[in-house]
Coordinates of all heavy atoms in Angstrom, one line a residue:
I1 N -8.1 -24.3 -2.2 CA -8.0 -23.7 -3.6 C -9.3 -23.9 -4.3 O -9.8 -22.9 -4.9 CB -6.9 -24.4 -4.4 CG1 -5.5 -24.1 -3.7 CG2 -6.9 -24.0 -5.8 CD1 -4.4 -24.9 -4.3
A2 N -9.9 -25.0 -4.3 CA -11.1 -25.3 -5.1 C -12.3 -24.4 -4.5 O -13.1 -23.8 -5.3 CB -11.5 -26.7 -5.0
K3 N -12.4 -24.3 -3.2 CA -13.4 -23.5 -2.5 C -13.3 -22.0 -2.9 O -14.2 -21.4 -3.2 CB -13.4 -23.7 -1.0 CG -14.5 -23.0 -0.2 CD -14.4 -23.3 1.2 CE -15.5 -22.6 2.0 NZ -15.3 -21.2 2.1
N4 N -12.0 -21.5 -2.8 CA -11.8 -20.1 -3.0 C -12.1 -19.7 -4.5 O -12.8 -18.7 -4.7 CB -10.3 -19.8 -2.7 CG -10.0 -18.3 -3.0 OD1 -10.7 -17.4 -2.6 ND2 -8.9 -18.1 -3.7
I5 N -11.6 -20.5 -5.4 CA -11.9 -20.2 -6.8 C -13.3 -20.3 -7.2 O -13.9 -19.5 -8.0 CB -11.0 -21.0 -7.7 CG1 -9.5 -20.6 -7.5 CG2 -11.3 -20.9 -9.2 CD1 -8.5 -21.5 -8.3
S6 N -14.0 -21.3 -6.7 CA -15.4 -21.6 -6.9 C -16.2 -20.4 -6.5 O -17.1 -19.9 -7.2 CB -15.9 -22.8 -6.3 OG -17.2 -23.0 -6.4
E7 N -15.9 -19.9 -5.3 CA -16.7 -18.7 -4.7 C -16.4 -17.5 -5.6 O -17.4 -16.7 -5.8 CB -16.3 -18.5 -3.3 CG -16.8 -19.6 -2.3 CD -16.3 -19.3 -0.9 OE1 -15.4 -18.5 -0.7 OE2 -16.8 -20.1 0.0
I8 N -15.2 -17.2 -6.0 CA -14.9 -16.1 -6.8 C -15.6 -16.1 -8.1 O -16.3 -15.1 -8.5 CB -13.3 -16.0 -7.0 CG1 -12.6 -15.6 -5.7 CG2 -13.0 -15.0 -8.1 CD1 -11.1 -15.6 -5.8
E9 N -15.6 -17.2 -8.8 CA -16.2 -17.3 -10.1 C -17.7 -17.2 -10.0 O -18.4 -16.6 -10.8 CB -15.8 -18.6 -10.8 CG -14.4 -18.7 -11.2 CD -14.0 -17.5 -12.1 OE1 -14.8 -17.2 -13.0 OE2 -12.9 -17.0 -12.0
L10 N -18.3 -17.7 -8.9 CA -19.8 -17.6 -8.7 C -20.2 -16.2 -8.4 O -21.2 -15.7 -9.0 CB -20.2 -18.6 -7.6 CG -21.7 -18.6 -7.2 CD1 -22.5 -19.0 -8.4 CD2 -22.0 -19.4 -6.0
E11 N -19.4 -15.5 -7.6 CA -19.8 -14.1 -7.2 C -19.5 -13.2 -8.4 O -20.2 -12.1 -8.4 CB -19.0 -13.7 -6.0 CG -19.4 -14.5 -4.7 CD -18.5 -14.3 -3.5 OE1 -17.5 -13.4 -3.6 OE2 -18.6 -15.0 -2.5
K12 N -18.6 -13.5 -9.2 CA -18.3 -12.7 -10.4 C -19.6 -12.6 -11.3 O -19.8 -11.5 -11.9 CB -17.1 -13.2 -11.2 CG -15.8 -12.8 -10.7 CD -14.7 -13.5 -11.4 CE -14.6 -13.1 -12.9 NZ -13.6 -13.8 -13.6
I13 N -20.3 -13.6 -11.4 CA -21.5 -13.7 -12.2 C -22.5 -12.6 -11.7 O -23.2 -12.0 -12.5 CB -22.1 -15.1 -12.3 CG1 -21.1 -16.1 -12.9 CG2 -23.4 -15.1 -13.1 CD1 -21.6 -17.5 -12.8
Q14 N -22.6 -12.5 -10.4 CA -23.6 -11.6 -9.8 C -23.1 -10.2 -9.5 O -23.9 -9.4 -9.0 CB -24.1 -12.3 -8.5 CG -24.7 -13.7 -8.8 CD -25.0 -14.4 -7.5 OE1 -24.6 -14.0 -6.4 NE2 -25.6 -15.6 -7.6
F15 N -21.9 -9.9 -9.8 CA -21.3 -8.7 -9.4 C -21.7 -7.5 -10.3 O -21.6 -7.6 -11.5 CB -19.7 -8.8 -9.4 CG -19.0 -7.6 -9.0 CD1 -19.1 -7.2 -7.7 CD2 -18.3 -6.8 -9.9 CE1 -18.4 -6.0 -7.2 CE2 -17.6 -5.7 -9.5 CZ -17.6 -5.3 -8.1
T16 N -22.1 -6.4 -9.7 CA -22.6 -5.3 -10.5 C -21.9 -4.0 -10.1 O -22.2 -2.9 -10.7 CB -24.1 -5.0 -10.3 OG1 -24.4 -4.8 -8.9 CG2 -24.9 -6.2 -10.7
G17 N -20.9 -4.1 -9.3 CA -20.2 -2.9 -8.8 C -19.2 -2.4 -9.9 O -19.0 -3.0 -10.9
S18 N -18.5 -1.3 -9.6 CA -17.5 -0.7 -10.5 C -16.2 -0.8 -9.9 O -16.0 -0.4 -8.7 CB -17.9 0.8 -10.7 OG -16.8 1.4 -11.3
V19 N -15.2 -1.4 -10.6 CA -13.8 -1.5 -10.1 C -12.9 -0.9 -11.2 O -12.9 -1.3 -12.3 CB -13.4 -3.0 -9.9 CG1 -12.0 -3.1 -9.5 CG2 -14.3 -3.7 -8.9
T20 N -12.2 0.1 -10.7 CA -11.2 0.8 -11.6 C -9.8 0.4 -11.2 O -9.4 0.6 -10.0 CB -11.4 2.3 -11.5 OG1 -12.7 2.7 -11.8 CG2 -10.3 3.0 -12.3
R21 N -9.1 -0.3 -12.1 CA -7.7 -0.7 -11.8 C -6.8 0.2 -12.6 O -6.7 0.3 -13.8 CB -7.5 -2.2 -12.3 CG -8.4 -3.1 -11.6 CD -8.1 -4.6 -11.9 NE -7.3 -4.9 -13.0 CZ -7.7 -5.4 -14.2 NH1 -9.1 -5.5 -14.4 NH2 -6.9 -5.6 -15.2
I22 N -5.9 0.9 -11.8 CA -5.0 1.9 -12.4 C -3.6 1.2 -12.3 O -3.1 1.0 -11.1 CB -5.0 3.2 -11.7 CG1 -6.4 3.8 -11.9 CG2 -4.0 4.2 -12.3 CD1 -6.7 5.2 -11.2
T23 N -2.9 1.0 -13.4 CA -1.6 0.4 -13.4 C -0.6 1.2 -14.1 O -0.9 1.9 -15.1 CB -1.7 -1.1 -14.0 OG1 -2.1 -1.0 -15.3 CG2 -2.7 -1.9 -13.2
T24 N 0.6 1.1 -13.7 CA 1.7 1.7 -14.4 C 2.2 0.7 -15.5 O 2.1 -0.5 -15.4 CB 2.9 2.0 -13.5 OG1 3.1 0.9 -12.6 CG2 2.6 3.2 -12.6
E25 N 2.7 1.3 -16.6 CA 3.0 0.5 -17.8 C 4.1 -0.5 -17.5 O 4.1 -1.6 -18.0 CB 3.4 1.4 -18.9 CG 3.7 0.7 -20.2 CD 3.9 1.7 -21.4 OE1 4.4 2.8 -21.1 OE2 3.7 1.3 -22.5
K26 N 5.1 -0.2 -16.7 CA 6.2 -1.1 -16.4 C 6.1 -1.8 -15.1 O 7.1 -2.3 -14.6 CB 7.5 -0.3 -16.5 CG 7.8 0.4 -17.8 CD 9.1 1.2 -17.8 CE 9.3 1.8 -19.2 NZ 10.5 2.7 -19.2
D27 N 4.9 -1.9 -14.6 CA 4.7 -2.7 -13.3 C 5.0 -4.1 -13.6 O 4.2 -4.8 -14.3 CB 3.2 -2.4 -12.8 CG 2.9 -3.3 -11.6 OD1 3.9 -3.7 -10.9 OD2 1.7 -3.6 -11.4
P28 N 6.0 -4.7 -12.9 CA 6.3 -6.1 -13.2 C 5.3 -7.1 -12.7 O 5.1 -8.1 -13.2 CB 7.7 -6.3 -12.4 CG 7.7 -5.2 -11.4 CD 7.0 -4.0 -12.0
L29 N 4.6 -6.7 -11.6 CA 3.6 -7.6 -11.0 C 2.5 -7.8 -12.0 O 2.1 -9.0 -12.3 CB 3.0 -7.0 -9.7 CG 1.8 -7.7 -9.1 CD1 2.1 -9.1 -8.7 CD2 1.1 -6.9 -8.0
N30 N 1.9 -6.8 -12.5 CA 0.8 -6.9 -13.5 C 1.2 -7.5 -14.8 O 0.5 -8.3 -15.4 CB 0.0 -5.6 -13.7 CG -0.9 -5.3 -12.5 OD1 -2.1 -5.8 -12.5 ND2 -0.5 -4.5 -11.6
N31 N 2.4 -7.1 -15.3 CA 2.9 -7.7 -16.5 C 3.1 -9.2 -16.4 O 2.8 -10.0 -17.3 CB 4.2 -7.0 -16.9 CG 4.0 -5.5 -17.3 OD1 2.9 -5.2 -17.8 ND2 5.0 -4.7 -17.2
W32 N 3.6 -9.6 -15.3 CA 3.8 -11.0 -15.0 C 2.5 -11.8 -14.8 O 2.3 -12.8 -15.4 CB 4.7 -11.2 -13.8 CG 4.9 -12.6 -13.3 CD1 5.7 -13.5 -13.8 CD2 4.2 -13.2 -12.2 NE1 5.6 -14.7 -13.0 CE2 4.7 -14.5 -12.1 CE3 3.3 -12.7 -11.2 CZ2 4.2 -15.4 -11.1 CZ3 2.8 -13.6 -10.3 CH2 3.3 -14.9 -10.2
A33 N 1.6 -11.2 -14.0 CA 0.3 -11.8 -13.8 C -0.5 -11.9 -15.1 O -1.2 -12.9 -15.3 CB -0.5 -11.1 -12.7
D34 N -0.4 -10.9 -15.9 CA -1.2 -10.9 -17.2 C -0.7 -12.0 -18.1 O -1.5 -12.7 -18.7 CB -1.0 -9.6 -17.9 CG -1.8 -8.4 -17.3 OD1 -2.7 -8.7 -16.4 OD2 -1.6 -7.3 -17.6
R35 N 0.6 -12.2 -18.1 CA 1.2 -13.3 -18.9 C 0.7 -14.7 -18.5 O 0.5 -15.6 -19.3 CB 2.7 -13.3 -18.9 CG 3.3 -12.0 -19.6 CD 3.4 -12.2 -21.1 NE 4.2 -13.2 -21.5 CZ 5.5 -13.1 -21.8 NH1 6.1 -11.9 -21.6 NH2 6.2 -14.1 -22.3
L36 N 0.4 -14.8 -17.2 CA -0.1 -16.1 -16.6 C -1.6 -16.2 -16.5 O -2.1 -17.1 -15.9 CB 0.6 -16.3 -15.2 CG 2.1 -16.4 -15.2 CD1 2.6 -16.5 -13.8 CD2 2.5 -17.6 -16.1
G37 N -2.3 -15.2 -17.1 CA -3.8 -15.2 -17.1 C -4.4 -14.8 -15.8 O -5.5 -15.3 -15.4
G38 N -3.8 -13.9 -15.0 CA -4.3 -13.5 -13.7 C -5.7 -13.0 -13.8 O -6.1 -12.3 -14.8
V39 N -6.6 -13.3 -12.8 CA -8.0 -13.0 -12.8 C -8.2 -11.7 -12.0 O -7.8 -11.7 -10.8 CB -8.8 -14.2 -12.3 CG1 -10.3 -13.8 -12.2 CG2 -8.7 -15.4 -13.2
Y40 N -8.8 -10.7 -12.6 CA -9.1 -9.5 -11.9 C -10.6 -9.1 -12.0 O -11.4 -9.8 -12.8 CB -8.3 -8.3 -12.6 CG -6.8 -8.4 -12.5 CD1 -6.1 -9.2 -13.5 CD2 -6.1 -7.8 -11.5 CE1 -4.7 -9.2 -13.5 CE2 -4.7 -7.9 -11.5 CZ -4.0 -8.6 -12.5 OH -2.7 -8.7 -12.4
L41 N -11.0 -8.0 -11.4 CA -12.3 -7.4 -11.5 C -12.1 -6.1 -12.3 O -11.1 -5.4 -12.2 CB -13.0 -7.2 -10.2 CG -13.5 -8.3 -9.4 CD1 -14.2 -7.8 -8.1 CD2 -14.4 -9.2 -10.2

């Protein structure tokens, strides 16, 4: 867990790409993850 999250956060600092996230308004996955502070790009 520590290794995975550390790598993600370090690489986020250097990331310059474009990520487009398209979500439906009533999507339970994203609504649930957003409430719990889910980390996206």
Side-chain angles (χ1 to χ4, degrees):
I1 294 171
K3 181 175 182 294
N4 179 48
I5 293 178
S6 175
E7 289 177 351
I8 288 173
E9 292 302 322
L10 180 62
E11 291 169 9
K12 279 173 61 181
I13 299 173
Q14 304 168 351
F15 183 68
T16 59
S18 168
V19 177
T20 300
R21 302 190 339 260
I22 299 175
T23 63
T24 46
E25 186 174 20
K26 297 178 181 178
D27 174 26
L29 171 65
N30 279 279
N31 291 334
W32 173 78
D34 288 344
R35 292 282 295 271
L36 296 177
V39 177
Y40 299 86
L41 288 183

